[in-house]
Amino acid sequence: MRAPAMAESFEEHRGHLLSVAYRLTGSVADAEDAVQDAWLRLDSADADSIDDLRAWLTTVVGRLCLDRLKSAVARREKYVGQWLPEPIVTPLAGATPPDPLEQVVRSEDNRLAALVVLDTLTPTQRIAFVLHDGFGVPFDEVARILDIEVPAARQLASRGRRAVADAPPPPSPSEHEHAVQQLMAAIATGDIDKVIAALHPDARMIGDAGGTTRTAVNVIVGPENFARFFLGLVRLYGAEALTSLEPALINGELGFLNRGSAGDDTHRGFPGRVMGVTVRDGRVWAAYDMANPAKLGGVRLPSDPQG
């Protein structure tokens, strides 16, 4: 296969490979790096000996992501506060021109709620479950990637399957949008009872800033605690904390990008961040405050919202 033809064939699979790598790592940066490294592996391989290019590239990306997952485990041990996946932020109407990451978040498997559960798995459980159940990689190939026996690969995938079964099922877009709008309207009133009424009984808020800025260091659990936290933010940062929210798709579901505020004489400034939301039973079940700038490389909105 000549170089131009090989490059064209690779590009046909880029969206698929990004989806594989992102679901394996929960990191936009790692996913894009893994896909680029897969291209370098292909460029130096004997392409004529590859019978199924998509399967070959999927396996290569799986191996590359295993290394990145192991590195992430070491980073998490020193991480300040909670660890969340890197969000993919895209316009409500779609990017122009289309962005490959938009293909990634079309899959319900890449919703934030699902990725948060995947982050509870060990690297080997995640590789086995995602590659086999998510992308149809045979267990014998999964076993080769992990350097284990096939029965062990099956067992790892089974453990991952049981964990992921606990993730909230995705609501319809209209149900999700209604629940998010209800919560934001309640917060705008400043009435704690209205905020609590918009929340699921098991509501929680998870912040991820990596020590770079203020957010909740621990998971906030319960509707009342959740409501007090968000109303406290409005008092601390002023109405700008709400009016500066820009609706966007966060991993394919309605959420918000906040580009930050310089503050004023009476309210603190704050850096840009992303707010993702999970809805369960028609009410907001979880909110994710993602404020670590190192994890916002997946923001695919114009730098000037008016431009």
Side-chain angles (χ1 to χ4, degrees), residues 49-97:
S49 67
I50 301 174
D51 294 327
D52 185 336
L53 181 60
R54 182 185 178 96
W56 187 89
L57 288 168
T58 300
T59 298
V60 169
V61 165
R63 290 195 179 97
L64 292 167
C65 289
L66 177 60
D67 294 336
R68 285 165 170 79
L69 279 171
K70 290 177 178 177
S71 296
V73 169
R75 294 197 304 271
R76 289 179 68 163
E77 291 176 353
K78 300 178 181 179
Y79 201 74
V80 177
Q82 306 301 309
W83 177 287
L84 287 170
E86 293 182 16
I88 296 177
V89 184
T90 52
L92 295 177
T96 305

mmCIF file of all heavy atoms in Angstrom, residues 49-97:
data_model
loop_
_atom_site.group_PDB
_atom_site.id
_atom_site.type_symbol
_atom_site.label_atom_id
_atom_site.label_comp_id
_atom_site.label_asym_id
_atom_site.label_seq_id
_atom_site.Cartn_x
_atom_site.Cartn_y
_atom_site.Cartn_z
ATOM 1 N N SER A 49 0.684 -6.767 4.798
ATOM 2 C CA SER A 49 0.441 -7.983 5.584
ATOM 3 C C SER A 49 -0.752 -7.840 6.530
ATOM 4 O O SER A 49 -1.103 -8.782 7.233
ATOM 5 C CB SER A 49 1.688 -8.331 6.395
ATOM 6 O OG SER A 49 1.934 -7.347 7.390
ATOM 7 N N ILE A 50 -1.363 -6.658 6.552
ATOM 8 C CA ILE A 50 -2.489 -6.399 7.457
ATOM 9 C C ILE A 50 -3.785 -6.741 6.740
ATOM 10 O O ILE A 50 -4.149 -6.092 5.756
ATOM 11 C CB ILE A 50 -2.495 -4.933 7.915
ATOM 12 C CG1 ILE A 50 -1.181 -4.590 8.647
ATOM 13 C CG2 ILE A 50 -3.690 -4.664 8.822
ATOM 14 C CD1 ILE A 50 -1.042 -3.126 8.999
ATOM 15 N N ASP A 51 -4.493 -7.744 7.208
ATOM 16 C CA ASP A 51 -5.733 -8.176 6.557
ATOM 17 C C ASP A 51 -6.911 -7.259 6.886
ATOM 18 O O ASP A 51 -7.723 -6.941 6.028
ATOM 19 C CB ASP A 51 -6.066 -9.616 6.975
ATOM 20 C CG ASP A 51 -5.032 -10.614 6.470
ATOM 21 O OD1 ASP A 51 -4.481 -10.374 5.379
ATOM 22 O OD2 ASP A 51 -4.783 -11.606 7.175
ATOM 23 N N ASP A 52 -7.010 -6.843 8.149
ATOM 24 C CA ASP A 52 -8.125 -6.016 8.604
ATOM 25 C C ASP A 52 -7.538 -4.791 9.288
ATOM 26 O O ASP A 52 -7.157 -4.841 10.460
ATOM 27 C CB ASP A 52 -9.013 -6.813 9.563
ATOM 28 C CG ASP A 52 -10.275 -6.061 9.985
ATOM 29 O OD1 ASP A 52 -10.277 -4.814 9.933
ATOM 30 O OD2 ASP A 52 -11.252 -6.734 10.378
ATOM 31 N N LEU A 53 -7.456 -3.680 8.566
ATOM 32 C CA LEU A 53 -6.773 -2.491 9.088
ATOM 33 C C LEU A 53 -7.472 -1.953 10.334
ATOM 34 O O LEU A 53 -6.807 -1.576 11.307
ATOM 35 C CB LEU A 53 -6.697 -1.410 8.010
ATOM 36 C CG LEU A 53 -5.985 -0.107 8.410
ATOM 37 C CD1 LEU A 53 -4.544 -0.402 8.817
ATOM 38 C CD2 LEU A 53 -6.050 0.905 7.281
ATOM 39 N N ARG A 54 -8.795 -1.909 10.322
ATOM 40 C CA ARG A 54 -9.527 -1.378 11.474
ATOM 41 C C ARG A 54 -9.233 -2.194 12.732
ATOM 42 O O ARG A 54 -8.952 -1.634 13.796
ATOM 43 C CB ARG A 54 -11.020 -1.380 11.169
ATOM 44 C CG ARG A 54 -11.903 -0.793 12.269
ATOM 45 C CD ARG A 54 -13.368 -0.986 11.879
ATOM 46 N NE ARG A 54 -14.313 -0.500 12.862
ATOM 47 C CZ ARG A 54 -14.893 0.688 12.836
ATOM 48 N NH1 ARG A 54 -14.608 1.536 11.864
ATOM 49 N NH2 ARG A 54 -15.770 1.048 13.767
ATOM 50 N N ALA A 55 -9.261 -3.519 12.606
ATOM 51 C CA ALA A 55 -8.988 -4.380 13.762
ATOM 52 C C ALA A 55 -7.543 -4.224 14.213
ATOM 53 O O ALA A 55 -7.256 -4.185 15.417
ATOM 54 C CB ALA A 55 -9.291 -5.831 13.412
ATOM 55 N N TRP A 56 -6.622 -4.136 13.255
ATOM 56 C CA TRP A 56 -5.192 -3.993 13.583
ATOM 57 C C TRP A 56 -4.960 -2.690 14.338
ATOM 58 O O TRP A 56 -4.274 -2.665 15.370
ATOM 59 C CB TRP A 56 -4.371 -4.021 12.297
ATOM 60 C CG TRP A 56 -2.885 -4.043 12.498
ATOM 61 C CD1 TRP A 56 -2.094 -5.151 12.631
ATOM 62 C CD2 TRP A 56 -1.997 -2.913 12.564
ATOM 63 N NE1 TRP A 56 -0.772 -4.775 12.786
ATOM 64 C CE2 TRP A 56 -0.690 -3.411 12.741
ATOM 65 C CE3 TRP A 56 -2.194 -1.533 12.489
ATOM 66 C CZ2 TRP A 56 0.421 -2.566 12.851
ATOM 67 C CZ3 TRP A 56 -1.097 -0.688 12.600
ATOM 68 C CH2 TRP A 56 0.191 -1.207 12.781
ATOM 69 N N LEU A 57 -5.547 -1.607 13.863
ATOM 70 C CA LEU A 57 -5.366 -0.309 14.512
ATOM 71 C C LEU A 57 -6.037 -0.273 15.886
ATOM 72 O O LEU A 57 -5.502 0.317 16.834
ATOM 73 C CB LEU A 57 -5.936 0.797 13.628
ATOM 74 C CG LEU A 57 -5.132 1.129 12.370
ATOM 75 C CD1 LEU A 57 -5.944 2.031 11.437
ATOM 76 C CD2 LEU A 57 -3.804 1.798 12.734
ATOM 77 N N THR A 58 -7.194 -0.923 16.007
ATOM 78 C CA THR A 58 -7.870 -0.969 17.304
ATOM 79 C C THR A 58 -7.005 -1.671 18.337
ATOM 80 O O THR A 58 -6.891 -1.223 19.489
ATOM 81 C CB THR A 58 -9.223 -1.694 17.175
ATOM 82 O OG1 THR A 58 -10.040 -0.992 16.232
ATOM 83 C CG2 THR A 58 -9.945 -1.759 18.513
ATOM 84 N N THR A 59 -6.361 -2.758 17.926
ATOM 85 C CA THR A 59 -5.469 -3.483 18.835
ATOM 86 C C THR A 59 -4.263 -2.633 19.217
ATOM 87 O O THR A 59 -3.862 -2.598 20.394
ATOM 88 C CB THR A 59 -5.005 -4.788 18.177
ATOM 89 O OG1 THR A 59 -6.144 -5.622 17.933
ATOM 90 C CG2 THR A 59 -4.027 -5.537 19.061
ATOM 91 N N VAL A 60 -3.693 -1.948 18.250
ATOM 92 C CA VAL A 60 -2.539 -1.082 18.531
ATOM 93 C C VAL A 60 -2.923 0.014 19.516
ATOM 94 O O VAL A 60 -2.198 0.287 20.490
ATOM 95 C CB VAL A 60 -1.992 -0.476 17.225
ATOM 96 C CG1 VAL A 60 -0.976 0.627 17.524
ATOM 97 C CG2 VAL A 60 -1.358 -1.554 16.366
ATOM 98 N N VAL A 61 -4.063 0.641 19.292
ATOM 99 C CA VAL A 61 -4.519 1.697 20.194
ATOM 100 C C VAL A 61 -4.764 1.131 21.594
ATOM 101 O O VAL A 61 -4.457 1.776 22.602
ATOM 102 C CB VAL A 61 -5.788 2.368 19.637
ATOM 103 C CG1 VAL A 61 -6.486 3.209 20.703
ATOM 104 C CG2 VAL A 61 -5.435 3.238 18.439
ATOM 105 N N GLY A 62 -5.307 -0.091 21.677
ATOM 106 C CA GLY A 62 -5.514 -0.718 22.978
ATOM 107 C C GLY A 62 -4.221 -0.878 23.745
ATOM 108 O O GLY A 62 -4.147 -0.587 24.951
ATOM 109 N N ARG A 63 -3.182 -1.325 23.070
ATOM 110 C CA ARG A 63 -1.878 -1.484 23.729
ATOM 111 C C ARG A 63 -1.320 -0.135 24.186
ATOM 112 O O ARG A 63 -0.785 -0.003 25.292
ATOM 113 C CB ARG A 63 -0.886 -2.166 22.780
ATOM 114 C CG ARG A 63 -1.181 -3.626 22.511
ATOM 115 C CD ARG A 63 0.034 -4.315 21.886
ATOM 116 N NE ARG A 63 -0.224 -5.722 21.644
ATOM 117 C CZ ARG A 63 -0.599 -6.216 20.474
ATOM 118 N NH1 ARG A 63 -0.758 -5.402 19.430
ATOM 119 N NH2 ARG A 63 -0.823 -7.509 20.329
ATOM 120 N N LEU A 64 -1.433 0.864 23.320
ATOM 121 C CA LEU A 64 -0.927 2.194 23.659
ATOM 122 C C LEU A 64 -1.687 2.787 24.849
ATOM 123 O O LEU A 64 -1.097 3.426 25.721
ATOM 124 C CB LEU A 64 -1.046 3.119 22.449
ATOM 125 C CG LEU A 64 -0.135 2.787 21.262
ATOM 126 C CD1 LEU A 64 -0.579 3.560 20.022
ATOM 127 C CD2 LEU A 64 1.320 3.120 21.590
ATOM 128 N N CYS A 65 -2.983 2.567 24.901
ATOM 129 C CA CYS A 65 -3.786 3.110 25.989
ATOM 130 C C CYS A 65 -3.531 2.394 27.306
ATOM 131 O O CYS A 65 -3.657 2.994 28.384
ATOM 132 C CB CYS A 65 -5.268 3.050 25.636
ATOM 133 S SG CYS A 65 -5.733 4.240 24.353
ATOM 134 N N LEU A 66 -3.178 1.128 27.260
ATOM 135 C CA LEU A 66 -2.834 0.407 28.483
ATOM 136 C C LEU A 66 -1.662 1.099 29.176
ATOM 137 O O LEU A 66 -1.681 1.309 30.397
ATOM 138 C CB LEU A 66 -2.496 -1.053 28.180
ATOM 139 C CG LEU A 66 -2.053 -1.896 29.379
ATOM 140 C CD1 LEU A 66 -3.137 -1.956 30.446
ATOM 141 C CD2 LEU A 66 -1.681 -3.311 28.925
ATOM 142 N N ASP A 67 -0.651 1.482 28.419
ATOM 143 C CA ASP A 67 0.495 2.193 28.996
ATOM 144 C C ASP A 67 0.065 3.525 29.606
ATOM 145 O O ASP A 67 0.517 3.909 30.690
ATOM 146 C CB ASP A 67 1.559 2.441 27.926
ATOM 147 C CG ASP A 67 2.199 1.153 27.418
ATOM 148 O OD1 ASP A 67 2.165 0.155 28.166
ATOM 149 O OD2 ASP A 67 2.713 1.148 26.288
ATOM 150 N N ARG A 68 -0.830 4.236 28.918
ATOM 151 C CA ARG A 68 -1.285 5.531 29.427
ATOM 152 C C ARG A 68 -2.154 5.370 30.673
ATOM 153 O O ARG A 68 -2.095 6.205 31.588
ATOM 154 C CB ARG A 68 -2.044 6.277 28.321
ATOM 155 C CG ARG A 68 -1.100 6.852 27.265
ATOM 156 C CD ARG A 68 -1.813 7.273 25.994
ATOM 157 N NE ARG A 68 -0.926 8.012 25.113
ATOM 158 C CZ ARG A 68 -0.013 7.443 24.325
ATOM 159 N NH1 ARG A 68 0.115 6.120 24.331
ATOM 160 N NH2 ARG A 68 0.768 8.180 23.561
ATOM 161 N N LEU A 69 -2.941 4.318 30.730
ATOM 162 C CA LEU A 69 -3.747 4.075 31.921
ATOM 163 C C LEU A 69 -2.867 3.787 33.139
ATOM 164 O O LEU A 69 -3.148 4.249 34.243
ATOM 165 C CB LEU A 69 -4.700 2.898 31.675
ATOM 166 C CG LEU A 69 -5.981 3.207 30.920
ATOM 167 C CD1 LEU A 69 -6.712 1.923 30.571
ATOM 168 C CD2 LEU A 69 -6.884 4.124 31.733
ATOM 169 N N LYS A 70 -1.810 3.043 32.932
ATOM 170 C CA LYS A 70 -0.894 2.748 34.042
ATOM 171 C C LYS A 70 -0.223 4.023 34.538
ATOM 172 O O LYS A 70 -0.042 4.217 35.743
ATOM 173 C CB LYS A 70 0.143 1.723 33.599
ATOM 174 C CG LYS A 70 -0.436 0.329 33.371
ATOM 175 C CD LYS A 70 0.618 -0.642 32.864
ATOM 176 C CE LYS A 70 0.053 -2.036 32.684
ATOM 177 N NZ LYS A 70 1.064 -2.982 32.129
ATOM 178 N N SER A 71 0.123 4.915 33.620
ATOM 179 C CA SER A 71 0.723 6.192 34.020
ATOM 180 C C SER A 71 -0.289 7.045 34.779
ATOM 181 O O SER A 71 0.050 7.745 35.736
ATOM 182 C CB SER A 71 1.222 6.956 32.790
ATOM 183 O OG SER A 71 2.256 6.251 32.138
ATOM 184 N N ALA A 72 -1.556 6.992 34.345
ATOM 185 C CA ALA A 72 -2.599 7.776 35.001
ATOM 186 C C ALA A 72 -2.811 7.325 36.440
ATOM 187 O O ALA A 72 -3.094 8.141 37.325
ATOM 188 C CB ALA A 72 -3.904 7.666 34.223
ATOM 189 N N VAL A 73 -2.683 6.029 36.697
ATOM 190 C CA VAL A 73 -2.824 5.519 38.066
ATOM 191 C C VAL A 73 -1.791 6.176 38.972
ATOM 192 O O VAL A 73 -2.107 6.608 40.093
ATOM 193 C CB VAL A 73 -2.676 3.984 38.095
ATOM 194 C CG1 VAL A 73 -2.561 3.490 39.532
ATOM 195 C CG2 VAL A 73 -3.859 3.319 37.410
ATOM 196 N N ALA A 74 -0.563 6.301 38.495
ATOM 197 C CA ALA A 74 0.498 6.939 39.286
ATOM 198 C C ALA A 74 0.192 8.416 39.501
ATOM 199 O O ALA A 74 0.405 8.952 40.600
ATOM 200 C CB ALA A 74 1.841 6.762 38.586
ATOM 201 N N ARG A 75 -0.339 9.087 38.473
ATOM 202 C CA ARG A 75 -0.647 10.514 38.617
ATOM 203 C C ARG A 75 -1.787 10.730 39.617
ATOM 204 O O ARG A 75 -1.780 11.693 40.382
ATOM 205 C CB ARG A 75 -1.044 11.115 37.266
ATOM 206 C CG ARG A 75 0.085 11.143 36.246
ATOM 207 C CD ARG A 75 -0.214 12.107 35.104
ATOM 208 N NE ARG A 75 -1.468 11.838 34.426
ATOM 209 C CZ ARG A 75 -1.586 11.011 33.397
ATOM 210 N NH1 ARG A 75 -0.519 10.350 32.941
ATOM 211 N NH2 ARG A 75 -2.757 10.824 32.813
ATOM 212 N N ARG A 76 -2.746 9.838 39.604
ATOM 213 C CA ARG A 76 -3.896 9.994 40.490
ATOM 214 C C ARG A 76 -3.504 9.858 41.954
ATOM 215 O O ARG A 76 -4.163 10.443 42.834
ATOM 216 C CB ARG A 76 -4.975 8.970 40.134
ATOM 217 C CG ARG A 76 -5.655 9.268 38.823
ATOM 218 C CD ARG A 76 -6.703 8.236 38.457
ATOM 219 N NE ARG A 76 -7.857 8.267 39.335
ATOM 220 C CZ ARG A 76 -9.017 7.704 39.041
ATOM 221 N NH1 ARG A 76 -9.185 7.058 37.912
ATOM 222 N NH2 ARG A 76 -10.024 7.770 39.884
ATOM 223 N N GLU A 77 -2.476 9.103 42.245
ATOM 224 C CA GLU A 77 -2.047 8.933 43.634
ATOM 225 C C GLU A 77 -1.579 10.248 44.246
ATOM 226 O O GLU A 77 -1.645 10.436 45.464
ATOM 227 C CB GLU A 77 -0.929 7.883 43.710
ATOM 228 C CG GLU A 77 -1.406 6.462 43.409
ATOM 229 C CD GLU A 77 -0.270 5.464 43.393
ATOM 230 O OE1 GLU A 77 0.899 5.899 43.476
ATOM 231 O OE2 GLU A 77 -0.541 4.251 43.301
ATOM 232 N N LYS A 78 -1.120 11.183 43.411
ATOM 233 C CA LYS A 78 -0.622 12.471 43.903
ATOM 234 C C LYS A 78 -1.593 13.615 43.597
ATOM 235 O O LYS A 78 -1.294 14.770 43.894
ATOM 236 C CB LYS A 78 0.736 12.774 43.266
ATOM 237 C CG LYS A 78 1.805 11.727 43.560
ATOM 238 C CD LYS A 78 3.104 12.074 42.851
ATOM 239 C CE LYS A 78 4.171 11.010 43.111
ATOM 240 N NZ LYS A 78 5.445 11.321 42.406
ATOM 241 N N TYR A 79 -2.728 13.290 43.023
ATOM 242 C CA TYR A 79 -3.662 14.314 42.568
ATOM 243 C C TYR A 79 -4.405 14.929 43.746
ATOM 244 O O TYR A 79 -4.813 14.231 44.683
ATOM 245 C CB TYR A 79 -4.662 13.686 41.596
ATOM 246 C CG TYR A 79 -5.354 14.654 40.677
ATOM 247 C CD1 TYR A 79 -4.683 15.228 39.598
ATOM 248 C CD2 TYR A 79 -6.692 14.990 40.873
ATOM 249 C CE1 TYR A 79 -5.326 16.104 38.737
ATOM 250 C CE2 TYR A 79 -7.349 15.854 40.015
ATOM 251 C CZ TYR A 79 -6.660 16.410 38.953
ATOM 252 O OH TYR A 79 -7.305 17.280 38.101
ATOM 253 N N VAL A 80 -4.609 16.246 43.693
ATOM 254 C CA VAL A 80 -5.334 16.941 44.754
ATOM 255 C C VAL A 80 -6.829 16.908 44.455
ATOM 256 O O VAL A 80 -7.269 17.374 43.396
ATOM 257 C CB VAL A 80 -4.858 18.407 44.866
ATOM 258 C CG1 VAL A 80 -5.666 19.140 45.932
ATOM 259 C CG2 VAL A 80 -3.371 18.453 45.189
ATOM 260 N N GLY A 81 -7.614 16.352 45.375
ATOM 261 C CA GLY A 81 -9.059 16.323 45.201
ATOM 262 C C GLY A 81 -9.528 15.174 44.325
ATOM 263 O O GLY A 81 -8.830 14.164 44.154
ATOM 264 N N GLN A 82 -10.716 15.337 43.750
ATOM 265 C CA GLN A 82 -11.335 14.284 42.943
ATOM 266 C C GLN A 82 -10.780 14.280 41.524
ATOM 267 O O GLN A 82 -10.318 15.294 41.014
ATOM 268 C CB GLN A 82 -12.857 14.475 42.901
ATOM 269 C CG GLN A 82 -13.494 14.562 44.274
ATOM 270 C CD GLN A 82 -13.232 13.328 45.119
ATOM 271 O OE1 GLN A 82 -13.463 12.214 44.680
ATOM 272 N NE2 GLN A 82 -12.748 13.535 46.337
ATOM 273 N N TRP A 83 -10.858 13.126 40.878
ATOM 274 C CA TRP A 83 -10.384 12.939 39.503
ATOM 275 C C TRP A 83 -11.568 12.634 38.612
ATOM 276 O O TRP A 83 -12.307 11.687 38.841
ATOM 277 C CB TRP A 83 -9.380 11.792 39.464
ATOM 278 C CG TRP A 83 -8.857 11.427 38.110
ATOM 279 C CD1 TRP A 83 -9.527 10.781 37.103
ATOM 280 C CD2 TRP A 83 -7.539 11.657 37.612
ATOM 281 N NE1 TRP A 83 -8.707 10.604 36.009
ATOM 282 C CE2 TRP A 83 -7.471 11.134 36.296
ATOM 283 C CE3 TRP A 83 -6.398 12.255 38.150
ATOM 284 C CZ2 TRP A 83 -6.322 11.190 35.515
ATOM 285 C CZ3 TRP A 83 -5.248 12.307 37.376
ATOM 286 C CH2 TRP A 83 -5.217 11.778 36.074
ATOM 287 N N LEU A 84 -11.774 13.465 37.600
ATOM 288 C CA LEU A 84 -12.844 13.249 36.631
ATOM 289 C C LEU A 84 -12.258 13.085 35.235
ATOM 290 O O LEU A 84 -11.132 13.522 34.974
ATOM 291 C CB LEU A 84 -13.812 14.443 36.630
ATOM 292 C CG LEU A 84 -14.739 14.571 37.839
ATOM 293 C CD1 LEU A 84 -15.453 15.923 37.815
ATOM 294 C CD2 LEU A 84 -15.752 13.436 37.883
ATOM 295 N N PRO A 85 -13.006 12.470 34.327
ATOM 296 C CA PRO A 85 -12.535 12.385 32.945
ATOM 297 C C PRO A 85 -12.412 13.783 32.329
ATOM 298 O O PRO A 85 -13.001 14.749 32.819
ATOM 299 C CB PRO A 85 -13.645 11.593 32.237
ATOM 300 C CG PRO A 85 -14.434 10.962 33.326
ATOM 301 C CD PRO A 85 -14.319 11.844 34.514
ATOM 302 N N GLU A 86 -11.648 13.879 31.257
ATOM 303 C CA GLU A 86 -11.569 15.138 30.521
ATOM 304 C C GLU A 86 -12.823 15.286 29.673
ATOM 305 O O GLU A 86 -13.162 14.391 28.897
ATOM 306 C CB GLU A 86 -10.342 15.161 29.610
ATOM 307 C CG GLU A 86 -9.018 15.184 30.357
ATOM 308 C CD GLU A 86 -7.829 15.246 29.411
ATOM 309 O OE1 GLU A 86 -8.023 15.578 28.223
ATOM 310 O OE2 GLU A 86 -6.717 14.957 29.866
ATOM 311 N N PRO A 87 -13.546 16.392 29.809
ATOM 312 C CA PRO A 87 -14.784 16.551 29.042
ATOM 313 C C PRO A 87 -14.518 16.889 27.579
ATOM 314 O O PRO A 87 -13.493 17.483 27.232
ATOM 315 C CB PRO A 87 -15.473 17.722 29.745
ATOM 316 C CG PRO A 87 -14.326 18.552 30.262
ATOM 317 C CD PRO A 87 -13.268 17.553 30.672
ATOM 318 N N ILE A 88 -15.460 16.518 26.729
ATOM 319 C CA ILE A 88 -15.470 16.944 25.329
ATOM 320 C C ILE A 88 -16.624 17.932 25.186
ATOM 321 O O ILE A 88 -17.784 17.576 25.399
ATOM 322 C CB ILE A 88 -15.634 15.762 24.369
ATOM 323 C CG1 ILE A 88 -14.434 14.821 24.477
ATOM 324 C CG2 ILE A 88 -15.798 16.259 22.932
ATOM 325 C CD1 ILE A 88 -14.538 13.581 23.609
ATOM 326 N N VAL A 89 -16.293 19.168 24.867
ATOM 327 C CA VAL A 89 -17.263 20.257 24.822
ATOM 328 C C VAL A 89 -17.449 20.695 23.378
ATOM 329 O O VAL A 89 -16.499 21.150 22.739
ATOM 330 C CB VAL A 89 -16.811 21.445 25.680
ATOM 331 C CG1 VAL A 89 -17.878 22.540 25.702
ATOM 332 C CG2 VAL A 89 -16.491 20.981 27.102
ATOM 333 N N THR A 90 -18.663 20.561 22.862
ATOM 334 C CA THR A 90 -18.950 20.900 21.474
ATOM 335 C C THR A 90 -20.177 21.802 21.400
ATOM 336 O O THR A 90 -20.997 21.817 22.314
ATOM 337 C CB THR A 90 -19.185 19.632 20.632
ATOM 338 O OG1 THR A 90 -20.184 18.809 21.275
ATOM 339 C CG2 THR A 90 -17.909 18.824 20.506
ATOM 340 N N PRO A 91 -20.316 22.570 20.315
ATOM 341 C CA PRO A 91 -21.465 23.481 20.191
ATOM 342 C C PRO A 91 -22.781 22.720 20.128
ATOM 343 O O PRO A 91 -22.836 21.578 19.671
ATOM 344 C CB PRO A 91 -21.194 24.223 18.872
ATOM 345 C CG PRO A 91 -19.745 24.008 18.580
ATOM 346 C CD PRO A 91 -19.393 22.688 19.179
ATOM 347 N N LEU A 92 -23.853 23.373 20.553
ATOM 348 C CA LEU A 92 -25.171 22.758 20.500
ATOM 349 C C LEU A 92 -25.572 22.394 19.082
ATOM 350 O O LEU A 92 -26.233 21.381 18.845
ATOM 351 C CB LEU A 92 -26.221 23.714 21.095
ATOM 352 C CG LEU A 92 -26.089 24.041 22.583
ATOM 353 C CD1 LEU A 92 -27.162 25.041 22.981
ATOM 354 C CD2 LEU A 92 -26.194 22.789 23.441
ATOM 355 N N ALA A 93 -25.143 23.218 18.122
ATOM 356 C CA ALA A 93 -25.537 23.003 16.736
ATOM 357 C C ALA A 93 -24.492 22.246 15.930
ATOM 358 O O ALA A 93 -24.653 22.050 14.733
ATOM 359 C CB ALA A 93 -25.821 24.346 16.062
ATOM 360 N N GLY A 94 -23.416 21.800 16.577
ATOM 361 C CA GLY A 94 -22.361 21.105 15.848
ATOM 362 C C GLY A 94 -21.278 22.062 15.390
ATOM 363 O O GLY A 94 -21.541 23.240 15.128
ATOM 364 N N ALA A 95 -20.065 21.551 15.322
ATOM 365 C CA ALA A 95 -18.925 22.380 14.934
ATOM 366 C C ALA A 95 -18.888 22.561 13.425
ATOM 367 O O ALA A 95 -19.322 21.716 12.664
ATOM 368 C CB ALA A 95 -17.626 21.738 15.417
ATOM 369 N N THR A 96 -18.330 23.704 13.013
ATOM 370 C CA THR A 96 -18.123 23.979 11.590
ATOM 371 C C THR A 96 -16.684 24.429 11.395
ATOM 372 O O THR A 96 -16.301 25.481 11.895
ATOM 373 C CB THR A 96 -19.083 25.079 11.092
ATOM 374 O OG1 THR A 96 -20.427 24.691 11.386
ATOM 375 C CG2 THR A 96 -18.939 25.305 9.605
ATOM 376 N N PRO A 97 -15.846 23.673 10.685
ATOM 377 C CA PRO A 97 -16.153 22.366 10.104
ATOM 378 C C PRO A 97 -16.295 21.296 11.186
ATOM 379 O O PRO A 97 -15.910 21.536 12.329
ATOM 380 C CB PRO A 97 -14.930 22.102 9.214
ATOM 381 C CG PRO A 97 -13.819 22.842 9.891
ATOM 382 C CD PRO A 97 -14.451 24.094 10.452
#
